[in-house]
Amino acid sequence: MMNQQQQPGGFQQQQPPPPGASFQQGPPPPGGGQQFQQPPQFQKSPPPNNGMMMQQAPNNMNTPQPPMGHPGMNPQGMSQPGMAQPGMAQPGMQEYFEENIDTSISVPSPILSCTTSFIPQSASLAHSTKVPLGAVIRPLAPGEECSVVQPGAAGIVRCKRCRTYINAFVTWLENGRTWRCNICTQRNECPAQYFCHLDDNGQRRDREQRPELSQGVVEFIAPSEYMVRPPQPPSYFFVIDVSLASVQSGMLKSVAAAISKSLDDLPGSPRTQVGFITFDDSVHYYSFKAGLSNPQMLVVADLEELFVPAPDDLLVNLQESRDVVDVFLENLPSMFQRTTSVDACLGPALKAAFTVTKHIGGKMCVFQSTLPTLGDGALVPRENYQIMGTPDEVKLLRPAQNWYKDTAIEFSRAQISVDMFLFPRAYIDVATLSDLPKLTAGSLKTYPGFHYGSDGPKFESELCRTLTQTTAFEAVMRIRCTRGMRISNFYGNFYIRGTDLLALPNCNADSTFAFDLVHDEQNLNSSVVTVQSALLYTSSEGERRIRVITQALPVTNLASDVIQSVDTDALTALIAKQGIDIASKTNLDNARGKIQQVCVDVIRASKEGDKPRTVSGYAAPPPQMSSQPSGSEDDKKPIPENLRLLPLYTLALMKSVALRGGTDIHPDERAHAMHRLMNMWVTDSKHYVYPRMFSLHDMSSNAGLPCSTEPAEDEMEKFAGRDYIELPDVKNLTVDRLSSNGIFLLDNGMEMYLWVGRSSDPSILNSLFGTNSLEGIDMNQVQLQTSGNDFASRLNAIVSALREDPMPQTTVAKVIIVREGDPGLESRFFWSMVEDSASFNGGTFTYSDFMEFINRPPSAQGGQPGMPPGGRGPPPPPGGQGQMQRGPPGPPQMQQGPPGMPPGPPPPGQMQRGPPQMQQGPPGQMPPPMRGGQSMPPPPMNQNSHPQQPPRGMGAPSPGPPQMQNGPPPPGPPQMQNNGPPSGPPPGQYDGPPPPGPHQMQHQMQNRPPPPMQQQMPPQGPPPGQYGGPPPPPGSGSYGAPPQMQNRAPPPPRPNMPPPPGQYRG
């Protein structure tokens, strides 16, 4: 949504004072100056061959300006030997710039979210705080207003050295005649047409009338000099798999319905162009020439010598050919009703579509149901269950060939973005196919076991959103930062040209990117660090625009400022993207180890505070902790309030589908989860990593009803949707919060699960499902009612509100009903119980165990901080073998925290000392291997606790933290209160209630699900309709789960496995 355009060019011009000491344009005469070497983010990169090279807008300055290729491309000849740069310090002196900026100007948080609000003044301080510096950016975030600037006679004012756009944080000098760039410190003359006098504070008097000088986000109308070809009309091309699997699943019917529904709302009307290609074992073209009553189908069966018939009528204007397009979509589901082809030639179809659209670019939507087996890009099944759960599993998460990567690069150069929708019923190699959307700035969505009735509404709503949302075409983006800092990594879907130019054929409201900031110099010479991104794009109306986002961050020399300003949500999102990048380059163990180490380092650094310990300006290593008592002052300090949830989110991230270990995650499912998490916005990432679980059976009478007034900002977590629907209470993600008489809704932003207890209220069941009991009923036939009674209507309002956002296109959620004891779906549901122990190596930590480890001083680990790389299992307990502890003592009551928030850390004073012990798995499951292939002995039986059985059908019990031989048992997970999980104890309060005794334990277990009749191992594969069913027979190629662990050989021992904590010798 754009405000009315501002016209700075129409302001009354003010002439500068007589140029008694005016600065000349360009560098001064040679002599005496030192050569300025530009930092990497300012170095010139070769222009991309994308048909959109920009030229600098003309101005009336005497000195000619060089042409400009992309946002911020450096002109040639900027840095010459022997020439001093204006505004730069002379040799032998370092100038420090104390910036006078308006700190009230900032970028809205839905657009840019930084991990910290302060930047360390030195690299040594950044190293000591351990906080990863960076940000997550969503340039076209929905619901955010942006002022539009029409450049005047002076054109778009930019720095002549680094090409930074004029912004609210530059420094004006000499009464407004010059301005100093806040990125490279270059002094620039102000064009006469842009001149304005300064006020008493050194700010321009007209800055409130100029959005680019008073706002953090502005959009310039780019002159024609910023392009070499006219803006192209929006193009939408559809490549559809019509093989037997697509027809039988109903995918073809659903695709046709969604496209037909979206045609009226496609951006760019009446200029919009559309085209279609279908394929199975041959490629089918369709001519939509205006005036035809029916489209003409042209079949090309020769996949080697592929040619394009009637090229002029394959991509047509939608308005002119609307009638024939409607006829095609109406007949598409029945056209291939009798097909028998089971093969798919995706590669030739992509080549054909590229030939048709390469002259114009645009959006290409690909719908695929089977593994491509014919022509270019043919793939073969490469599932290998023997390497799943081992470091070699990463081979299944990397592309099998480079054909799709090379094709994606060609698409990117032609300004074609690919949105891929996959509907697998067997292995489809998501890791290889995902190169197409990744490098073309597209998106990837999968719908395993697609069924038209249950999955159709969700898919159709997501496709409609993809097609009709605000989209920027032919885009490129560059991000700059102040000299002394540099951007070391980018994350997201893009193809990077040169060193820092992100090529984005499409950029929409969901497009999210992230980057790392690191110190490029030991000390910063400015009091403010500025980050500026510039997105040059073509709007759907055919207007060339530049969206400039500028954020200034103050510099500090205090570690406490950096720690206290950390945004945990943004930090978790950035760490997740870093972990996925590490996992794809090395392995999952290293990714989990890196994520855990970051959390440990940040928490421990936050407790150290401002400790001035430097040697020659560099941070010295911490003193040896082995001589200090374990109960040091740092150990007793509480975790800062803003970091209370970091350990919880870290633990949840390590147990997420994208990064968790074990053999029960299908490679396609993991590859899809990694792709989606890499491109999630901060809020979406938080809810995906730590899902929200709502208690429905006891929700208040107002839950599910709209709020009459807009809630306060600190109450927003309790509401959702545009109508502010009140949400039920949020519960901890642990099986201890489930009860057989309860009904719980779990939402991670992508999937929704409705867990129904065996003893649920029959009246509620009748309201939701039309039956008094789900026992003995085929769950595939159960339908969730959305109306007809108060309870169903309120639940439907809650489900709908959780999928609403500021965008007008609302998606539909698919609610998966999980009956207590279901051997398949319930195991997937329990993947989200991240506060319990998981059955993979490195995931045996419960939340209590992990908090004990976080709060443990380094001396307790033998002088080595952190876990071993890969986050492998804890050490064996002292005292040899014993029997397994079934669960923790009853959860103690904790003080109620903010509503709607996940739980905070248990109080350090209630934590046990000593390393957590490996929990024994369920019968038939082998314990994780130790060094040399030796298995870990089970921990000793705790004599002071009572066994706590899991609910029937829940598989492995949720083991509690192991007990030390001396001292009371540790507490269980924190008890939930009415308004959601507590955020942790208040500062300074460590003493909580003691663990419950046997009588309290018995009382707490009355509402728990009954113990299982027979212990069994949780299923090792996804349930039918998700990622397959029972394990496939060898060689079947089925999209099933890996074989049961008890039926196959144990995994090979891992040599050189790092010892667990407590076994280091330091």
Side-chain angles (χ1 to χ4, degrees), residues 313-646:
D313 300 324
L314 302 180
L315 187 65
V316 297
N317 182 276
L318 176 60
Q319 190 175 46
E320 297 174 358
S321 304
R322 178 61 184 270
D323 293 339
V324 66
V325 171
D326 286 338
V327 171
F328 168 75
L329 291 174
E330 183 180 354
N331 296 329
L332 179 60
S334 58
M335 289 171 58
F336 300 92
Q337 199 67 38
R338 299 182 179 180
T339 185
T340 58
S341 176
V342 296
D343 295 318
C345 57
L346 176 61
L350 291 173
K351 291 173 60 178
F354 175 77
T355 304
V356 174
T357 60
K358 64 181 180 181
H359 69 286
I360 189 174
K363 181 183 291 291
M364 183 183 297
C365 295
V366 178
F367 307 91
Q368 178 77 17
S369 291
T370 61
L371 187 73
T373 54
L374 299 177
D376 293 335
L379 300 173
V380 296
R382 55 186 182 122
E383 294 171 289
N384 185 354
Y385 297 126
Q386 297 299 321
I387 65 175
M388 291 175 62
T390 72
D392 289 337
E393 183 181 357
V394 70
K395 295 178 181 178
L396 303 177
L397 306 176
R398 295 172 179 165
Q401 55 177 264
N402 290 328
W403 189 89
Y404 290 93
K405 177 182 178 180
D406 297 338
T407 300
I409 294 174
E410 291 299 319
F411 277 34
S412 178
R413 290 172 177 167
Q415 299 300 325
I416 300 172
S417 177
V418 177
D419 291 317
M420 182 165 280
F421 301 85
L422 303 179
F423 308 83
R425 306 190 81 82
Y427 180 74
I428 202 171
D429 204 345
V430 173
T432 301
L433 297 179
S434 63
D435 272 349
L436 273 173
K438 179 179 180 180
L439 296 176
T440 61
S443 61
L444 171 69
K445 294 181 175 66
T446 65
Y447 306 87
F450 180 84
H451 183 268
Y452 177 76
S454 58
D455 299 286
K458 175 185 177 182
F459 160 68
E460 292 177 21
S461 66
E462 292 181 347
L463 178 56
C464 290
R465 177 189 176 104
T466 299
L467 295 176
T468 60
Q469 65 183 344
T470 301
T471 303
F473 298 89
E474 300 180 301
V476 288
M477 184 171 72
R478 173 171 277 128
I479 304 177
R480 306 174 180 85
C481 61
T482 296
R483 182 188 177 197
M485 303 290 294
R486 65 181 176 89
I487 298 174
S488 59
N489 292 294
F490 295 95
Y491 307 99
N493 285 359
F494 53 82
Y495 177 63
I496 190 164
R497 302 184 186 277
T499 58
D500 61 349
L501 185 69
L502 309 185
L504 311 172
N506 281 182
C507 183
N508 55 47
D510 291 326
S511 298
T512 302
F513 311 94
F515 56 89
D516 294 329
L517 270 176
V518 298
H519 283 72
D520 199 36
E521 299 176 0
Q522 174 60 31
N523 295 289
L524 300 178
N525 64 345
S526 174
S527 62
V528 174
V529 167
T530 304
V531 177
Q532 184 182 84
S533 74
L535 177 73
L536 170 68
Y537 72 95
T538 300
S539 69
S540 57
E541 291 77 19
E543 195 172 44
R544 201 74 173 144
R545 293 190 172 190
I546 307 172
R547 175 165 290 205
V548 179
I549 302 170
T550 311
Q551 179 69 62
L553 301 172
V555 173
T556 182
N557 56 6
L558 296 177
S560 58
D561 288 343
V562 179
I563 293 294
Q564 293 172 6
S565 67
V566 170
D567 183 338
T568 299
D569 294 348
L571 179 59
T572 303
L574 182 64
I575 292 174
K577 298 176 192 332
Q578 292 175 344
I580 293 173
D581 185 60
I582 293 173
S584 60
K585 292 178 179 178
T586 57
N587 57 61
L588 294 169
D589 282 349
N590 289 343
R592 291 192 297 266
K594 172 63 175 179
I595 292 170
Q596 181 173 274
Q597 192 63 53
V598 169
C599 176
V600 171
D601 290 343
V602 170
I603 295 299
R604 288 178 182 160
S606 69
K607 295 184 178 184
E608 293 178 0
D610 298 317
K611 292 187 176 181
R613 178 175 171 78
T614 59
V615 176
S616 302
Y618 291 88
Q624 294 294 328
M625 303 295 295
S626 57
S627 60
Q628 297 185 2
S630 59
S632 63
E633 291 300 323
D634 287 346
D635 180 40
K636 296 179 181 179
K637 290 182 180 179
I639 297 176
E641 186 68 27
N642 60 314
L643 296 177
R644 290 272 176 115
L645 295 176
L646 180 60

Side-chain angles (χ1 to χ4, degrees), residues 967-1001:
Q975 178 69 31
M976 302 299 300
Q977 300 294 335
N978 292 334
N979 292 328
S983 61
Q989 180 176 347
Y990 290 93
D991 297 329
H999 297 288
Q1000 294 173 291
M1001 189 72 170

Side-chain angles (χ1 to χ4, degrees), residues 533-849:
S533 74
L535 177 73
L536 170 68
Y537 72 95
T538 300
S539 69
S540 57
E541 291 77 19
E543 195 172 44
R544 201 74 173 144
R545 293 190 172 190
I546 307 172
R547 175 165 290 205
V548 179
I549 302 170
T550 311
Q551 179 69 62
L553 301 172
V555 173
T556 182
N557 56 6
L558 296 177
S560 58
D561 288 343
V562 179
I563 293 294
Q564 293 172 6
S565 67
V566 170
D567 183 338
T568 299
D569 294 348
L571 179 59
T572 303
L574 182 64
I575 292 174
K577 298 176 192 332
Q578 292 175 344
I580 293 173
D581 185 60
I582 293 173
S584 60
K585 292 178 179 178
T586 57
N587 57 61
L588 294 169
D589 282 349
N590 289 343
R592 291 192 297 266
K594 172 63 175 179
I595 292 170
Q596 181 173 274
Q597 192 63 53
V598 169
C599 176
V600 171
D601 290 343
V602 170
I603 295 299
R604 288 178 182 160
S606 69
K607 295 184 178 184
E608 293 178 0
D610 298 317
K611 292 187 176 181
R613 178 175 171 78
T614 59
V615 176
S616 302
Y618 291 88
Q624 294 294 328
M625 303 295 295
S626 57
S627 60
Q628 297 185 2
S630 59
S632 63
E633 291 300 323
D634 287 346
D635 180 40
K636 296 179 181 179
K637 290 182 180 179
I639 297 176
E641 186 68 27
N642 60 314
L643 296 177
R644 290 272 176 115
L645 295 176
L646 180 60
L648 178 64
Y649 290 159
T650 299
L651 182 66
L653 180 59
M654 293 190 296
K655 295 182 180 181
S656 66
V657 173
L659 296 173
R660 67 185 287 122
T663 60
D664 51 353
I665 305 293
H666 192 278
D668 280 348
E669 185 172 14
R670 190 188 298 277
H672 174 247
M674 295 173 70
H675 183 98
R676 293 291 295 270
L677 187 56
M678 178 66 84
N679 294 277
M680 280 185 181
W681 176 242
V682 172
T683 306
D684 301 329
S685 178
K686 177 182 69 173
H687 291 156
Y688 177 75
V689 169
Y690 192 91
R692 290 174 288 181
M693 186 169 70
F694 304 98
S695 177
L696 301 181
H697 59 284
D698 57 356
M699 63 181 179
S700 67
S701 58
N702 293 327
L705 300 178
C707 183
S708 56
T709 59
E710 183 175 350
E713 185 175 353
D714 57 349
E715 295 282 326
M716 290 302 294
E717 285 284 346
K718 296 180 60 177
F719 300 87
R722 304 185 189 98
D723 296 331
Y724 302 109
I725 301 296
E726 184 172 333
L727 300 176
D729 296 338
V730 180
K731 300 299 181 182
N732 298 65
L733 295 181
T734 169
V735 294
D736 291 335
R737 297 296 169 260
L738 302 177
S739 60
S740 289
N741 61 356
I743 299 177
F744 299 86
L745 179 68
L746 181 78
D747 175 34
N748 65 8
M750 291 171 52
E751 297 172 321
M752 279 191 184
Y753 292 92
L754 186 65
W755 188 88
V756 182
R758 183 180 291 107
S759 303
S760 299
D761 188 345
S763 62
I764 297 180
L765 295 179
N766 190 62
S767 300
L768 295 180
F769 310 110
T771 179
N772 293 333
S773 176
L774 296 181
E775 295 298 325
I777 296 180
D778 182 6
M779 296 303 295
N780 293 325
Q781 305 300 323
V782 175
Q783 297 292 330
L784 181 65
Q785 299 184 19
T786 58
S787 61
N789 58 81
D790 177 71
F791 197 93
S793 299
R794 289 196 291 151
L795 176 58
N796 182 61
I798 293 171
V799 170
S800 299
L802 290 172
R803 287 295 178 267
E804 289 183 358
D805 56 24
M807 295 180 61
Q809 302 86 3
T810 301
T811 59
V812 177
K814 175 189 176 183
V815 181
I816 303 172
I817 303 172
V818 182
R819 180 177 54 195
E820 181 186 349
D822 188 308
L825 288 175
E826 198 172 47
S827 65
R828 294 179 61 87
F829 177 82
F830 288 139
W831 286 351
S832 299
M833 301 294 107
V834 295
E835 296 185 31
D836 297 330
S837 177
S839 57
F840 65 88
N841 199 16
T844 56
F845 274 130
T846 64
Y847 182 36
S848 299
D849 294 339

Side-chain angles (χ1 to χ4, degrees), residues 24-92:
Q24 294 184 355
Q25 181 81 6
Q34 66 175 354
Q35 180 180 356
F36 170 70
Q37 183 177 1
Q38 296 177 352
Q41 65 266 33
F42 305 138
Q43 293 179 1
K44 181 176 175 64
S45 59
N49 182 19
N50 54 10
M52 306 177 346
M53 180 173 292
M54 303 184 299
Q55 302 290 334
Q56 182 188 359
N59 54 40
N60 296 331
M61 300 172 68
N62 295 330
T63 304
Q65 294 290 319
M68 193 272 292
H70 296 291
M73 178 172 288
N74 304 320
Q76 296 183 0
M78 284 186 218
S79 179
Q80 301 180 12
M83 301 184 66
Q85 300 292 335
M88 295 298 298
Q90 297 298 317

